[in-house]
Amino acid sequence: MGFLIPLFQRLLIWIVTKILLALGLSFVTYTGITLSLNSLKNYVATSINNIPADVFSLLMMAGFGQAVGIIFGAFAFKVAMESATKLTAGIMKKI
């Protein structure tokens, strides 16, 4: 019975380190993607604001704003899924 306590202790330390590693990598990935998406959104917004008002109105009536939102949402989803897949594969490989 005395050998179970060190075994559980090592198992608990291993699980906690894996969870902290996963959370840290997720935070870094999320922060990097958020910064890059925000800068890309700002670039698109300033480019759109520089076109004439009539063309801007036509683009907005045609649904350009929704299309850009869908594209950015799809990009964010793709990056999140890729990072989660790589993170899961990295953790499972080490087990």
Side-chain angles (χ1 to χ4, degrees):
M1 215 36 152
F3 68 91
L4 286 178
I5 293 174
L7 181 67
F8 285 138
Q9 186 180 18
R10 286 195 332 210
L11 183 64
L12 183 63
I13 289 171
W14 182 79
I15 288 173
V16 169
T17 56
K18 292 297 178 184
I19 289 172
L20 288 177
L21 179 67
L23 288 175
L25 285 175
S26 299
F27 179 73
V28 168
T29 302
Y30 175 76
T31 304
I33 294 303
T34 302
L35 289 175
S36 63
L37 276 177
N38 286 339
S39 64
L40 187 60
K41 284 180 188 178
N42 289 336
Y43 178 73
V44 169
T46 55
S47 297
I48 295 293
N49 287 335
N50 290 333
I51 62 174
D54 295 337
V55 176
F56 180 76
S57 297
L58 284 173
L59 283 174
M60 290 303 129
M61 284 192 304
F64 183 74
Q66 287 84 8
V68 169
I70 290 170
I71 290 169
F72 279 120
F75 181 70
F77 178 77
K78 171 73 174 164
V79 168
M81 289 303 293
E82 287 293 322
S83 66
T85 303
K86 288 181 182 178
L87 184 63
T88 305
I91 289 174
M92 290 302 179
K93 185 193 299 185
K94 292 182 180 181
I95 292 176

